[in-house]
Amino acid sequence: MLVYTSRRLLHSNRSQILRAFSTHSNTKPYDAVVIGAGPGGLTAASNLMDQGFSNICMFDPHFTAGRIHEKYREVPSNTKTHMFEKWATGTKTFSQIIEAAPKPNAYTTMLSFDQDEGCMLGDAVDVAQLLSDGIRKVPGVDSVTARVRKLRRERDVWDLPEHGITSRKVVLTPGSHPKRFDLVDKYPHVKELDLDITLKPSALRETVPAGSKVGVIGASHSAVLALKNLYELGNVSIVNFHRSPLLYAEYKDGWILYDNTGLKGVAADWAREILASENPNPRLRRINLKTDGRTDKEIYDRELEDYTHLVSAIGYEMNALPTIEVDGQEVLADFDPLTGRFKEKESQRPLPGLYGAGIAYPERVTDRAGNVESAVGWFKFMRFCKRVAPEWAAEAP
Ligand SMILES: Cc1cc2nc3c(=O)[nH]c(=O)nc-3n(C[C@H](O)[C@H](O)[C@H](O)COP(=O)(O)OP(=O)(O)OC[C@H]3O[C@@H](n4cnc5c(N)ncnc54)[C@H](O)[C@@H]3O)c2cc1C
């Protein structure tokens, strides 16, 4: 069921009602539609509002501040608390919502933490929820509790045919989910253990019985947190299959080396102390697939013989996008990670008025040592949107 929430609907404005429920896109277009209302979508919407966009529609099937609320509340943050605080006050729109919110609230709670330490993602996402609830009440912002499955470019506007809505601009912030490694299908005696469960200690305890043997594939931040949570169960054996060495973020004078790819916070501390220990616990082994000398198949055939569970922690991939049609033809969209704009993949023609942000469409950055990374994190989404939103706003509709 679709739930349309609009202050103007509440005031029974007839043209709004028509626009919200009409199956024909013949009413006034929105200035912008934002698809996805996780931290990425909230950041994009608030930046466009700072740019003077007064007529915005946000879509999300839940409006619960994205995947972190759903899956990762029990994950310790890899960024310091002050980065979430900077994010929450990064736009005038956000600051006004925070200022107007009754106190105490999630933001004032966050202010009471040591700003130089990490926090639990549950505490950060409560602040995002405060902003999500607040932004939906701003006059001129409509919100639709639904998924967008189709976008059509017609006569200089974007049409959302399922919803009877048109918009001059559309921002895609659909988020991402863990990539699945199909290795598990080849070893049917081994149960697939969802990465998201390993990142939620309260669920993990219920899912993995004592005496289990668990393989974890990957060396990412999430892989290390999965290993830590499994290790802390105290009664399971774990093997970590990896190719790359552990990479740690390094705090330099005014910048961070491997800011987006290196381990930070609790995950880094635990990796240094336990995973990379010179006296490893026999319950926790690591196998480097690159240097082992055996083929991957030989390793897995031998190692997984008596394993009960296998976790893929090999990174994240973008959630399914709405289909995009231009002049009646379905097209694939190529993202430009410097401008946040898109082109048609095949023709390389610009897709005017279509933009991306958040974890699905991060900015590409080059650090002072020349490393090129995707900038993933709430404050990084903010920095990106602050730079590109004025350009998006200035682009002819
Ligand atoms: C384990 C983990 C730990 C992390 N830790 C940190 C950290 O400490 N600090 C930090 O800054 N960042 C962290 N990140 C990275 C990143 O900042 C978060 O993943 C962030 O929450 C991503 O926000 P998002 O809005 O881009 O995506 P999401 O939170 O996934 O939100 C996307 C939203 O879009 C909706 N959606 C998708 N498709 C559609 C559609 N077709 N129509 C309508 N709605 C749609 C989804 O339902 C969802 O609500 C972490 C990530 C992970 C995975």
Side-chain angles (χ1 to χ4, degrees):
M1 190 184 70
L2 308 186
V3 180
Y4 289 82
T5 309
S6 157
R7 283 168 71 93
R8 286 168 294 175
L9 277 178
L10 294 178
H11 294 147
S12 297
N13 177 319
R14 192 166 173 274
S15 71
Q16 280 293 314
I17 293 171
L18 276 177
R19 177 165 64 187
F21 294 102
S22 163
T23 50
H24 303 290
S25 309
N26 54 2
T27 46
K28 191 172 166 267
Y30 281 97
D31 293 337
V33 156
V34 178
I35 298 178
L42 296 169
T43 308
S46 73
N47 272 282
L48 290 175
M49 289 160 79
D50 275 18
Q51 291 301 313
F53 283 45
S54 57
N55 191 17
I56 287 187
C57 187
M58 301 193 70
F59 280 82
D60 193 287
H62 313 293
F63 284 101
T64 48
R67 191 175 183 87
I68 284 195
H69 164 72
E70 205 189 325
K71 306 282 187 186
Y72 307 133
R73 291 191 65 91
E74 296 176 34
V75 171
S77 74
N78 55 30
T79 46
K80 296 183 178 176
T81 304
H82 71 85
M83 297 307 284
F84 293 119
E85 194 283 327
K86 273 171 76 178
W87 172 78
T89 52
T91 59
K92 206 170 120 209
T93 303
F94 273 2
S95 295
Q96 284 170 348
I97 294 169
I98 294 278
E99 239 164 67
K103 296 173 184 59
N105 57 44
Y107 176 78
T108 56
T109 302
M110 173 170 280
L111 286 186
S112 70
F113 301 161
D114 182 341
Q115 299 295 301
D116 241 6
E117 295 290 328
C119 60
M120 295 310 283
L121 288 183
D123 292 311
V125 87
D126 286 344
V127 176
Q129 186 67 62
L130 181 75
L131 290 167
S132 176
D133 295 343
I135 212 164
R136 295 171 73 194
K137 291 186 191 131
V138 174
V141 176
D142 291 345
S143 52
V144 182
T145 306
R147 194 168 284 285
V148 176
R149 299 185 194 280
K150 194 165 191 174
L151 279 176
R152 276 193 318 221
R153 177 105 184 134
E154 274 178 0
R155 292 186 298 279
D156 294 339
V157 290
W158 288 97
D159 178 20
L160 284 71
E162 312 148 283
H163 302 286
I165 281 173
T166 60
S167 179
R168 296 182 210 290
K169 320 237 173 203
V170 172
V171 187
L172 298 170
T173 57
S176 62
H177 61 274
K179 263 189 219 160
R180 183 172 181 270
F181 190 21
D182 60 6
L183 181 79
V184 73
D185 302 333
K186 297 182 185 128
Y187 300 91
H189 68 282
V190 186
K191 262 196 206 141
E192 182 167 15
L193 178 58
D194 189 346
L195 175 65
D196 289 343
I197 303 247
T198 66
L199 297 180
K200 189 172 183 186
S202 59
L204 187 61
R205 274 192 294 276
E206 305 300 315
T207 312
V208 179
S212 297
K213 293 191 169 185
V214 185
V216 176
I217 304 167
S220 61
H221 178 74
S222 298
V224 170
L225 288 171
L227 289 164
K228 175 176 181 291
N229 290 342
L230 286 161
Y231 180 81
E232 288 176 353
L233 289 177
N235 51 19
V236 300
S237 307
I238 310 142
V239 169
N240 178 210
F241 302 97
H242 67 101
R243 287 186 194 282
S244 18
L246 293 167
L247 183 70
Y248 298 93
E250 293 176 28
Y251 291 82
K252 305 281 187 191
D253 190 13
W255 66 289
I256 305 171
L257 179 64
Y258 308 128
D259 189 14
N260 296 285
T261 46
L263 297 170
K264 291 179 181 168
V266 169
D269 295 344
W270 183 82
R272 282 197 177 95
E273 195 194 338
I274 308 287
L275 199 54
S277 163
E278 284 175 9
N279 301 307
N281 185 313
R283 277 201 302 114
L284 176 61
R285 288 191 299 130
R286 300 195 82 212
I287 294 180
N288 186 329
L289 298 162
K290 229 173 173 176
T291 59
D292 181 87
R294 293 173 290 172
T295 64
D296 288 9
K297 182 170 183 322
E298 283 166 350
I299 295 172
Y300 288 130
D301 282 355
R302 169 77 192 83
E303 292 294 333
L304 295 180
E305 223 167 40
D306 60 347
Y307 270 70
T308 55
H309 297 80
L310 197 56
V311 185
S312 302
I314 54 170
Y316 286 75
E317 62 191 356
M318 190 200 305
N319 289 333
L321 279 183
T323 57
I324 303 174
E325 262 182 30
V326 177
D327 299 331
Q329 292 284 315
E330 194 170 322
V331 298
L332 294 176
D334 249 359
F335 180 62
D336 177 345
L338 296 178
T339 64
R341 293 188 162 101
F342 288 91
K343 285 183 175 164
E344 277 180 39
K345 197 179 179 71
E346 206 167 299
S347 68
Q348 288 295 295
R349 274 188 313 202
L351 285 168
L354 187 66
Y355 313 101
I359 195 169
Y361 293 117
E363 182 183 21
R364 188 166 63 217
V365 291
T366 305
D367 73 14
R368 294 188 201 177
N371 300 301
V372 177
E373 298 182 332
S374 290
V376 170
W378 297 13
F379 185 68
K380 290 163 188 164
F381 305 157
M382 179 60 77
R383 213 173 39 201
F384 182 42
C385 285
K386 271 182 112 64
R387 180 171 69 73
V388 294
E391 296 164 16
W392 298 353
E395 191 181 26

